[in-house]
Amino acid sequence: MVEEARTASAVEQLHRLHAGRVYGYAYRRVRDIELARQVTNDVFRIAWQRELEPGPEALPWLLVTARNLVANEVRALGREAKLRLKLAAEHMAAGRASDADASAAVHEVLGSMRPKDREVLMLAYWDDMDMAQMAALLECSVESAKSRLFRARKAFGRLAPTTLLKGGSK
């Protein structure tokens, strides 16, 4: 308990000293207040888990951690945007929806999905992974990966407007 209190105190001190710099670093890269706050919180959560002590090496360590977290977020946002475009293109090619309607509808549906479902769809459609690769990445069996993809497709189907999936009118 004493060790936990000491670690908490050290992280509180790190937060007081460097939270503004870490937040500024993250915000300048993502240009989104909430995402910058999330990255900043994650940096200090990781510092607490690693029991980082205040000192001259603390700020560089915090900023490197922030850089890595920002890079992860940027990659995730890029994958999500590419998935939206790919799904919209597939639907447009099938003649199911107009260009603008499909893009907006796919964007809205993916944005409203659970992150786990969205990730499975991204792995299947954007990353073009087969079931064995998805299972390895998700650390589950091939059957579980199939089930997750099935559920994600069903969730997409439930949330998507009829015009997007069936080419009907609203």
Side-chain angles (χ1 to χ4, degrees):
M1 264 234 238
V2 173
E3 185 66 31
E4 275 186 38
R6 197 185 89 198
T7 300
S9 175
V11 172
E12 286 173 10
Q13 183 180 0
L14 284 171
H15 192 270
R16 273 192 310 278
L17 292 171
H18 304 299
R21 298 268 314 267
V22 172
Y23 172 81
Y25 178 91
Y27 179 77
R28 283 188 298 278
R29 280 148 184 84
V30 298
R31 296 287 184 205
D32 180 280
I33 292 170
E34 286 306 312
L35 186 53
R37 285 180 184 159
Q38 176 188 332
V39 167
T40 302
N41 289 340
D42 288 345
V43 166
F44 286 97
R45 177 188 48 81
I46 293 168
W48 174 72
Q49 290 171 334
R50 302 278 172 115
E51 298 179 358
L52 184 66
E53 295 288 330
E57 69 285 341
L59 181 60
W61 186 93
L62 293 168
L63 293 178
V64 166
T65 303
R67 181 188 67 204
N68 293 338
L69 291 172
V70 165
N72 290 344
E73 290 296 329
V74 168
R75 279 192 299 276
L77 292 171
R79 285 192 306 266
E80 191 174 318
K82 286 181 181 180
L83 174 61
R84 285 187 194 116
L85 291 174
K86 184 174 182 174
L87 289 173
E90 288 174 2
H91 287 289
M92 287 183 294
R96 294 181 178 159
S98 74
D99 200 16
D101 291 344
S103 180
V106 169
H107 177 75
E108 186 175 328
V109 172
L110 287 173
S112 67
M113 293 181 76
R114 294 181 336 167
K116 285 184 174 186
D117 290 340
R118 186 173 42 243
E119 178 67 16
V120 170
L121 288 175
M122 290 170 62
L123 292 173
Y125 293 103
W126 183 75
D127 293 321
D128 198 29
M129 289 189 174
D130 62 30
M131 283 299 150
Q133 292 168 325
M134 286 177 55
L137 187 84
L138 297 170
E139 298 178 329
C140 65
S141 69
V142 171
E143 292 304 315
S144 291
K146 286 180 184 177
S147 294
R148 289 181 187 188
L149 181 57
F150 176 79
R151 286 192 302 270
R153 286 177 178 152
K154 284 286 199 187
F156 186 90
R158 278 192 308 274
L159 296 169
T162 305
T163 55
L164 183 64
L165 298 176
K166 298 184 178 149
S169 60
K170 289 184 181 179

